Amino acid sequence: MVTLSRRYRYVGPAEILAGITPDGAGTPIAAARDFAGWVSTVPAPDLAEPFTYVVDLDGVLRLAPRRSEHVACAEGRDVLGAGEIAFVRQPPEEASLGGLDWRVDEVSNQSTGYCPDLNSWPVVAAALDRAGLAHPDGFTAGLVFRRCPDCHQRNVVRDDDFVCALCGGVLPERWNFDSG
């Protein structure tokens, strides 16, 4: 179990959490062979879209179809990271760490169910490394999430404008989903 990273609990709608079923669980990708097996089962048209991912509490990458809820991918559990991820095939001579001819093309922390902080990147990168996947040096699209202390709604901060989109309240500059 990875212990140095922040745990993200589910902060999305209760009805989504209540509706998760075992068939929505993400596929664990702990090594290159796991990714190779998983990607061989994904229909070609689906590979053109990003996938839902979480990094579970053991530091293992879990993948599910894009329209899956992150909390379902995580089987309702806390996570160390979450977002969307896209893969691209590369020439065999450029095979990544585990000899895979796939690499991560795009990766974000876009999960309004967990609202992970940007500093979750090292955990995501470590999970990708364990899975044998070459990847960018950071999130290709990083979101800044904050909970409004006034109305308690989840917000995505854009252009460093720390103002709640719903009530106009001031949003904290530090990640704050571990309270309230």
Side-chain angles (χ1 to χ4, degrees), residues 3-122:
T3 57
L4 298 176
S5 302
R6 174 179 281 146
R7 288 173 69 136
Y8 297 96
R9 64 183 170 83
Y10 179 70
V11 296
E15 61 271 13
I16 292 176
L17 180 61
I20 64 169
T21 59
D23 62 335
T27 302
I29 309 293
R33 69 182 174 282
D34 298 331
F35 183 84
W38 172 82
V39 78
S40 71
T41 67
V42 177
D46 292 352
L47 289 168
E49 290 193 24
F51 293 87
T52 294
Y53 82 86
V54 298
V55 177
D56 68 22
L57 295 180
D58 292 322
V60 174
L61 178 71
R62 298 176 72 88
L63 297 171
R66 180 181 197 182
R67 287 163 187 79
S68 302
E69 294 291 340
H70 289 94
V71 69
C73 184
E75 298 181 277
R77 297 184 179 101
D78 290 356
V79 300
L80 301 176
E84 292 188 350
I85 191 165
F87 304 99
V88 65
R89 189 178 285 270
Q90 57 188 1
E93 62 272 9
E94 295 177 26
S96 56
L97 302 172
L100 297 171
D101 60 349
W102 290 90
R103 67 174 167 78
V104 175
D105 188 42
E106 297 177 8
V107 59
S108 75
N109 64 326
Q110 183 174 335
S111 168
T112 57
Y114 286 103
C115 300
D117 199 14
L118 291 171
N119 65 13
S120 63
W121 172 251

Side-chain angles (χ1 to χ4, degrees), residues 115-176:
C115 300
D117 199 14
L118 291 171
N119 65 13
S120 63
W121 172 251
V123 170
V124 174
L128 295 172
D129 288 345
R130 278 191 293 285
L133 288 160
H135 55 78
D137 292 334
F139 290 122
T140 55
L143 282 76
V144 175
F145 294 102
R146 295 295 185 271
R147 181 185 298 276
C148 178
D150 297 332
C151 72
H152 305 288
Q153 293 299 311
R154 295 166 290 156
N155 281 261
V156 174
V157 175
R158 290 178 171 55
D159 301 322
D160 290 325
D161 185 16
F162 286 82
V163 175
C164 179
L166 290 125
C167 76
V170 176
L171 300 173
E173 291 199 22
R174 294 183 61 159
W175 185 87
N176 67 330

